[in-house]
Amino acid sequence: MPFHEFNCSTCIPERREHAVVKGPGEDLTSALPLGYLNTIPGSISERGCAYCGAKHVIGTPMKDVIHLSHGPVGCTYDTWQTKRYISDNDNFQLKNTFASDVKEKHIVFGAEGLLKKNIIEAFQAFPEIKRMTIYSTCATALIGDDIGAIAQEVMEEMPDVDIFVCNSPGFAGPSQSGGHHKINIAWVNNKVGTVEPKITSDYVINYVGEYNIQGDQEVMIDYFKRMGIQVLSTFTGNGSYDDLRAMHRAHLNVLECARSAEYICNELRVRYGIPRLDIDGFGFEPLSASLRKIGLFFGIEDRAQAIIDAETARWKPELDWYKERLKGKKVCLWPGGSKLWHWANVIHEEMGVEVVSLYTKFGHQGDMEKGIARCEQGALAIDDPNELEGLEAMEKLKPDVIFTGKRPGEVAKKIRVPYLNAHAYHNGPYKGYEGWVRFARDIYNAIYSPIHQLSALDISKDEIPADKGFITRRMLSDIHLTPEIRDSSEMRQYTGGYDSVSPLRERDYPYMNESKALV
Amino acid sequence: MTCEVIQKGRSGVINPIFTCQPAGAQYASIGIKDCIGIVHGGQGCVMFVRLLFSQHFKENFLIASSSVHEDGAVFGALNRVEEAVDVLLMRYPDVKVVPIITTCSTEVIGDDVDGVILKLNRGLLQEKYADREVHLIAVHAPSFVGSQVSGYDVAVEAFVSHFAKKSEPSGKLNLITGWVNPGDVTVLKQLLAEMQVDATVLFEIESFDSPIMPDKSGESHGSTTIEDLTGTANAIGTLALNRYEGGRAARYLENEFGIPSIIGPTPIGIRNTDTFLHNVKALTGKPIPQSLVRERGKAIDALADLVHMFLAEKRVAIYGHPDLVIGLAEFCIDLEMKPVLLLLGDDNTTYKNDPRIKALQSGVDFEMEIVLNADLMELEDRIKNKELNLDLILGHSKGRFVAIDNNVPMVRVGFPTYDRAGLHRHPVVGYAGAIWLAEEMANTLFTDMEYKKNKEWILNVW
């Protein structure tokens, strides 16, 4: 597995071991790219900071909480309304954000008094909310404010409130990943075990490392409830603060994003003996295997299988319709962390696309190991890519689509590569059986966009096809299909609605009623 | 009938109107050609600002970070600046201008950015880049001072004061636009072209709105050059359209090089555009041509179709950049509307002495409130609990949920406007901007009438 050297990065030799090409028959472990090292200044990396890893990625998806950042206003503003982690309480945490608004005089004289006033004001502004998380920022960490002491003081004065403090200033680590770690450990140290839950089922889990992007969590919770499983808490998407204080009573931790949340699972195993089961909500087979494993753990495989059978029967014909039309299309799989290995193999298996490159902004070597193991031969794997390397890779690999973030998607647009938002999704959720079809539908729509096709035409010198008033996606996608596939009555396009999540909130769960009756 | 100016009572911010200084400095930096700024601080200070710009423009802009990690925060991080400059210059051969923008972290730890620039100028640049024109410029933008507005102002001054150099008079006019959109720059250039005025536009950001090209060459970038900036010292005058976004640079040019300057008013609405043309005429001696009389007439015509029937008495709240908010409020009053609440989102203590605010205080004939150091909770609280009773909100996208949750129609204006398509292409300044604003407000009210079945039939015969 030779290291890949980018032309644009020959002048920074430190980059040499951060990219590899997966060669034929090579031992995966012999040459992994370096990972999770300090960023090279000035390289125009895509990485964020440890504050955003703690506050924005993991903290804020918690729904019934005032999320207050102790620092100048920018950290708060910048991490507000830039993600799609919805919640079933009318998106309180998406809509509202809180900053202590540290100014120069506070830097000089300290900002603890300001913080205390802020906490009280915030609770007064939203009297129905009794829970708060507070995050340090670069400025308040450097001046040494004791946020924990202030929080304690307020909790003593206001006995009905509870406050969680996470000290994860922006500089605390090479990327947002440092913040993931810090908030995991802070939560298990300070909050787990402080509430005793009501157990209403024989099967009790925490759902960990799931952030409810466009409703992913609600899709998965639906399956768990259909199996009669009590989900004590979700860490953290659509999760409730007090539920998360009761994590210690689960029988099993079901872990989705092992990059951002394996730390708390590992601690819960050590401290409370709760086993960790890594699952995967993306893709029919990985999801089915995940539900089976959970079923097996509790001895309710039949319930899992019933869901798998029903969902597969409902959605597989739609997935296959897209698979036939996506076969052989080249994909750059360029997400932040765990999706690089969640998706690397299954999009090939179930949608027929070829992963020609994968990268991770903040992943560690372990993530790359899993990603490279699962992707196809010849794929280019890049750790902490920078702007020029991304462009060079796209020029070389000529992908049909890339899966990445919003801003890098704008870079791809200019070189006429369509993008799908791998973080926030285009029209998700992408988890669950239906979600996976939605993902395939979005990929199809991106690749066969008539507008993207038009972008290649140079009207000043190319021949203009003046005989056409329009082109449909199917005219582009079906051209090489055999008549049997093209006209198949078994396969069909996506038939779900625009909002596949809200209806889930109204569902009834027979097994859950049963277990409640038992209690 | 009073216009009261008050300060937000709470000490903290709930749902901010602005981000911090480094974002404003970064916005100024992307307006310059062959310029990539280095933000000296944590990576989030760049990553999120680039995201914000890409949300607003649906485009990508290049800004680098010195990527300060824990060791730098403890032991000092100037070595990160040195490395960042070198890496950036090696990999971007066209880059000539590199502002080093500080943040809260690097200001708190006391990194001497001016000192390291001196060192780099004498060392790295002479040794390794001797045959290349490179300008390193310190922009001090601690996040705990001011806001994105002052960050922009500080950066514009830093660029102008670095480059401006006296030589032969150029006969050109300096036009400092302030924090505007490409659509605004287009309109301003058209107005100046009609008056046959040769102007240096700072910053020339029309090219932020860039194409997808068949040969893949499309790229959003600023177009203000080093020569443009150098020549500002030789202009016949400076017009800074926004007092708080470029006013400093105008005063600098006046004090340092004796370039006469006129600061404001923001040419929003007919009256302020008239004043803008008057000021251009005053500084250049060029007459206002018939073509602009016609253009103005078209705008007046468009407004006359709307004001008495639809816009009169409508109660409006406006938040955002101070010059924008004041300009919009003035225009709304001319449109017979009632801007009952203005929210200015930072702690700048000079706002209350702004002559335009004083004029509102002495001139309005309805109850009006101006909240300084405001946040969006000030708006929401007044709608929910204090019977503000609004017909319309004017502001940027971060306030979208205030409008949505309280069923108040909203026209997106200012920065950022990511929840509506393509607004950066539309002007709010000049006569064209007056038309766009009034018609956008009217159409928004019309849609709202239709959804709420509120006399929607009235539009049948309009």
Side-chain angles (χ1 to χ4, degrees):
Chain A
M1 202 159 15
F3 288 115
H4 174 82
E5 189 166 22
F6 286 98
N7 292 332
C8 61
S9 295
T10 50
C11 56
I12 34 177
E14 307 94 296
R15 286 293 302 161
R16 224 165 264 162
E17 293 181 23
H18 286 266
V20 298
V21 175
K22 183 177 180 177
E26 279 179 316
D27 178 6
L28 165 74
T29 53
S30 64
L32 276 175
L34 296 174
Y36 199 53
L37 296 178
N38 284 356
T39 317
I40 299 170
S43 62
I44 314 198
S45 150
E46 295 180 10
R47 284 173 161 178
C49 61
Y51 158 81
C52 88
K55 183 263 185 183
H56 191 39
V57 176
I58 297 188
T60 318
M62 236 187 276
K63 66 184 172 187
D64 47 5
V65 183
I66 289 168
H67 296 285
L68 170 66
S69 299
H70 185 35
V73 74
C75 313
T76 303
Y77 177 102
D78 290 353
T79 54
W80 179 39
Q81 294 186 21
T82 62
K83 274 184 169 260
R84 291 175 175 156
Y85 33 56
I86 56 172
S87 58
D88 58 12
N89 65 338
D90 197 29
N91 299 317
F92 173 81
Q93 88 295 346
L94 263 190
K95 291 176 179 175
N96 298 294
T97 197
F98 302 77
S100 61
D101 198 20
V102 165
K103 291 292 181 189
E104 192 158 23
K105 63 183 176 200
H106 308 117
I107 296 292
V108 178
F109 300 110
E112 291 177 351
L114 173 77
L115 175 63
K116 186 171 177 185
K117 273 167 79 179
N118 257 274
I119 298 171
I120 293 164
E121 284 170 3
F123 280 126
Q124 280 169 349
F126 293 92
E128 72 282 12
I129 305 280
K130 301 290 183 194
R131 301 291 177 259
M132 177 181 283
T133 63
I134 307 179
Y135 308 88
S136 67
T137 61
C138 291
T140 52
L142 286 168
I143 63 173
D145 273 3
D146 188 347
I147 300 175
I150 299 297
Q152 197 54 45
E153 217 175 286
V154 175
M155 283 193 281
E156 279 160 22
E157 291 168 23
M158 300 172 74
D160 59 338
V161 307
D162 196 79
I163 302 172
F164 166 69
V165 174
C166 179
N167 286 304
S168 180
F171 54 73
S175 71
Q176 45 271 63
S177 186
H180 304 154
H181 180 247
K182 287 199 160 54
I183 192 170
N184 271 249
I185 299 303
W187 188 265
V188 75
N189 278 348
N190 297 307
K191 292 301 164 196
V192 173
T194 59
V195 157
E196 287 303 323
K198 192 174 161 196
I199 302 297
T200 58
S201 167
D202 292 334
Y203 321 114
V204 184
I205 66 168
N206 295 312
Y207 187 28
V208 183
E210 162 57 55
Y211 305 106
N212 202 31
I213 305 297
Q214 292 210 25
D216 274 353
Q217 184 254 13
E218 296 176 68
V219 169
M220 296 296 288
I221 295 288
D222 173 61
Y223 301 141
F224 300 149
K225 285 185 175 171
R226 281 155 73 181
M227 290 169 70
I229 293 170
Q230 181 186 2
V231 182
L232 213 49
S233 71
T234 303
F235 188 88
T236 54
N238 199 29
S240 182
Y241 185 101
D242 280 2
D243 290 349
L244 284 158
R245 296 165 74 188
M247 290 181 94
H248 58 296
R249 291 299 180 202
H251 305 146
L252 179 68
N253 283 318
V254 172
L255 174 61
E256 189 81 50
C257 176
R259 173 67 284 124
S260 63
E262 68 170 350
Y263 317 105
I264 194 165
C265 283
N266 294 348
E267 289 303 314
L268 289 167
R269 182 171 54 197
V270 171
R271 299 182 196 193
Y272 301 99
I274 308 170
R276 155 186 165 177
L277 177 68
D278 288 33
I279 68 150
D280 190 340
F282 293 115
F284 281 44
E285 276 313 311
L287 173 55
S288 298
S290 298
L291 295 178
R292 271 189 215 107
K293 280 194 286 183
I294 297 168
L296 200 63
F297 181 86
F298 289 119
I300 47 173
E301 302 97 305
D302 53 327
R303 295 180 183 182
Q305 197 56 46
I307 294 171
I308 295 164
D309 293 344
E311 293 287 328
T312 305
R314 169 69 182 85
W315 297 110
K316 187 73 168 28
E318 304 191 1
L319 181 66
D320 287 343
W321 191 94
Y322 292 102
K323 181 180 182 181
E324 291 298 340
R325 288 157 179 85
L326 294 176
K327 268 184 194 157
K329 292 294 174 189
K330 294 192 288 183
V331 169
C332 284
L333 174 52
W334 289 354
S338 70
K339 287 188 192 96
L340 94 98
W341 40 268
H342 274 299
W343 290 357
N345 178 249
V346 68
I347 55 176
H348 178 69
E349 292 293 327
E350 299 191 354
M351 298 180 191
V353 299
E354 306 291 330
V355 175
V356 294
S357 175
L358 39 87
Y359 80 35
T360 178
K361 294 197 255 191
F362 54 79
H364 300 205
Q365 273 194 312
D367 301 289
M368 264 306 188
E369 194 170 339
K370 287 189 267 187
I372 293 170
R374 293 176 191 188
C375 72
E376 300 306 296
Q377 195 175 294
L380 169 63
I382 319 166
D383 167 70
D384 181 24
N386 55 61
E387 185 103 357
L388 288 175
E389 290 174 354
L391 278 165
E392 191 176 317
M394 282 189 279
E395 279 303 315
K396 180 181 142 73
L397 300 168
K398 309 215 175 331
D400 295 292
V401 65
I402 71 168
F403 305 156
T404 189
K406 192 259 175 302
R407 190 201 48 74
E410 302 296 347
V411 181
K413 181 175 77 178
K414 294 298 189 205
I415 57 167
R416 299 197 276 101
V417 178
Y419 106 102
L420 282 190
N421 195 320
H423 309 298
Y425 309 153
H426 269 46
N427 283 292
Y430 287 168
K431 276 186 182 153
Y433 297 89
E434 181 177 2
W436 200 239
V437 178
R438 292 171 78 93
F439 185 24
R441 183 266 324 263
D442 284 356
I443 301 172
Y444 173 82
N445 286 349
I447 290 179
Y448 293 109
S449 155
I451 291 298
H452 266 283
Q453 196 214 19
L454 285 175
S455 72
L457 182 78
D458 185 340
I459 52 170
S460 72
K461 50 185 188 216
D462 297 342
E463 191 169 335
I464 297 175
D467 59 332
K468 287 199 176 57
F470 67 91
I471 279 192
T472 69
R473 284 159 292 170
R474 288 193 69 176
M475 287 177 192
L476 299 170
S477 67
D478 289 9
I479 196 161
H480 298 302
L481 296 181
T482 62
E484 298 83 69
I485 290 176
R486 193 174 57 227
D487 306 324
S488 161
S489 58
E490 259 122 68
M491 295 182 279
R492 58 176 184 268
Q493 293 189 63
Y494 180 59
T495 55
Y498 180 65
D499 177 5
S500 60
V501 173
S502 301
L504 299 176
R505 295 174 184 169
E506 313 297 324
R507 277 183 94 140
D508 194 39
Y509 297 95
Y511 285 129
M512 297 307 286
N513 295 340
E514 211 174 88
S515 41
K516 267 179 211 148
L518 283 173
V519 171
Chain B
M1 300 302 165
T2 56
C3 170
E4 205 182 348
V5 179
I6 62 164
Q7 293 273 342
K8 176 190 65 181
R10 283 171 288 112
S11 58
V13 171
I14 304 176
N15 302 336
I17 290 173
F18 295 143
T19 184
C20 56
Q21 284 212 118
Q26 289 172 69
Y27 191 75
S29 79
I30 59 175
I32 299 175
K33 194 165 184 302
D34 301 328
C35 168
I36 298 180
I38 294 170
V39 179
H40 187 33
Q43 292 164 157
C45 309
V46 174
M47 190 271 261
F48 281 104
V49 171
R50 292 181 77 198
L51 175 61
L52 182 67
F53 295 166
S54 81
Q55 279 185 282
H56 178 76
F57 292 108
K58 316 296 183 220
E59 302 286 1
N60 174 57
F61 295 92
L62 285 173
I63 309 163
S65 173
S66 65
S67 297
V68 172
H69 301 322
E70 203 144 21
D71 55 339
V74 176
F75 300 113
L78 287 172
N79 60 323
R80 307 290 285 178
V81 175
E82 294 183 48
E83 193 179 345
V85 169
D86 192 24
V87 168
L88 193 70
L89 293 179
M90 281 194 288
R91 300 176 82 227
Y92 291 88
D94 295 331
V95 163
K96 297 191 182 79
V97 184
V98 184
I100 314 291
I101 300 164
T102 65
T103 59
C104 46
S105 58
T106 50
E107 289 284 346
V108 171
I109 64 176
D111 266 1
D112 180 7
V113 167
D114 301 82
V116 85
I117 286 176
L118 213 61
K119 182 181 168 195
L120 286 166
N121 281 338
R122 288 176 187 160
L124 180 76
L125 294 190
Q126 283 186 17
E127 287 153 20
K128 196 168 170 183
Y129 302 99
D131 53 352
R132 188 164 155 188
E133 180 180 16
V134 177
H135 299 269
L136 307 177
I137 302 158
V139 181
H140 290 277
S143 323
F144 45 77
V145 174
S147 69
Q148 65 189 49
V149 179
S150 56
Y152 182 90
D153 203 32
V154 164
V156 173
E157 189 193 23
F159 288 122
V160 167
S161 62
H162 175 89
F163 286 107
K165 202 170 158 213
K166 198 85 185 169
S167 55
E168 292 304 304
S170 66
K172 290 173 84 169
L173 179 71
N174 295 325
L175 182 75
I176 303 179
T177 65
W179 191 318
V180 294
N181 274 317
D184 295 311
V185 174
T186 304
V187 162
L188 292 166
K189 282 166 67 177
Q190 280 167 355
L191 289 172
L192 293 171
E194 289 296 329
M195 287 189 68
Q196 298 181 330
V197 169
D198 193 5
T200 304
V201 179
L202 304 178
F203 292 98
E204 166 57 283
I205 60 159
E206 230 183 334
S207 46
F208 280 10
D209 186 7
S210 68
I212 297 179
M213 294 298 284
D215 67 356
K216 309 179 183 179
S217 63
E219 192 187 357
S220 289
H221 59 82
S223 302
T224 291
T225 61
I226 290 175
E227 292 69 36
D228 289 338
L229 287 159
T230 308
T232 53
N234 304 308
I236 48 172
T238 303
L239 253 183
L241 302 185
N242 288 346
R243 191 182 193 86
Y244 306 103
E245 301 155 16
R248 274 169 183 268
R251 285 192 294 274
Y252 169 84
L253 288 169
E254 182 156 294
N255 295 338
E256 197 69 20
F257 302 105
I259 310 290
S261 66
I262 300 177
I263 297 171
T266 313
I268 292 173
I270 303 294
R271 199 178 299 277
N272 283 327
T273 303
D274 294 348
T275 307
F276 166 72
L277 296 177
H278 165 84
N279 291 341
V280 173
K281 186 177 161 185
L283 287 172
T284 63
K286 297 277 177 69
I288 298 170
Q290 267 305 309
S291 60
L292 289 180
V293 178
R294 264 191 78 79
E295 191 178 331
R296 181 176 183 274
K298 276 162 80 174
I300 299 267
D301 183 291
L303 304 184
D305 293 340
L306 298 171
V307 281
H308 327 296
M309 204 181 325
F310 299 114
L311 298 180
E313 314 302 333
K314 295 291 185 226
R315 294 166 59 82
V316 193
I318 313 172
Y319 63 87
H321 285 207
D323 289 294
L324 176 76
V325 169
I326 295 167
L328 289 171
E330 291 173 331
F331 184 38
C332 283
I333 293 171
D334 269 350
L335 295 174
E336 305 176 36
M337 303 167 83
K338 289 181 172 170
V340 289
L341 177 66
L342 310 186
L343 300 149
L344 307 182
D346 62 27
D347 65 345
N348 187 331
T349 52
T350 66
Y351 293 153
K352 61 180 185 298
N353 303 322
D354 189 307
R356 295 168 296 178
I357 297 221
K358 295 268 182 216
L360 289 170
Q361 283 186 282
S362 61
V364 295
D365 55 0
F366 52 89
E367 296 288 339
M368 181 179 191
E369 199 173 23
I370 301 175
V371 186
L372 307 181
N373 201 20
D375 57 19
L376 290 165
M377 182 48 80
E378 293 288 307
L379 173 60
E380 182 137 25
D381 180 50
R382 282 169 176 77
I383 299 172
K384 278 205 164 89
N385 308 319
K386 295 180 182 149
E387 295 175 355
L388 184 61
N389 199 13
L390 289 177
D391 297 297
L392 190 66
I393 295 172
L394 302 181
H396 58 67
S397 297
K398 292 277 185 183
R400 62 193 303 259
F401 286 114
V402 179
I404 295 167
D405 285 349
N406 295 289
N407 273 316
V408 182
M410 170 171 166
V411 169
R412 273 69 173 169
V413 56
F415 181 94
T417 54
Y418 48 78
D419 70 332
R420 286 294 179 273
L423 294 192
H424 60 282
R425 276 183 268 275
H426 298 283
V428 299
V429 300
Y431 301 123
I435 296 176
W436 184 83
L437 276 172
E439 293 185 338
E440 189 76 0
M441 288 195 285
N443 287 335
T444 302
L445 290 169
F446 296 162
T447 307
D448 187 65
M449 286 158 63
E450 289 163 359
Y451 277 107
K452 290 180 183 157
K453 299 262 189 297
N454 178 16
K455 296 180 68 172
E456 75 288 357
W457 40 260
I458 210 167
L459 294 163
N460 283 1
V461 293
W462 174 52

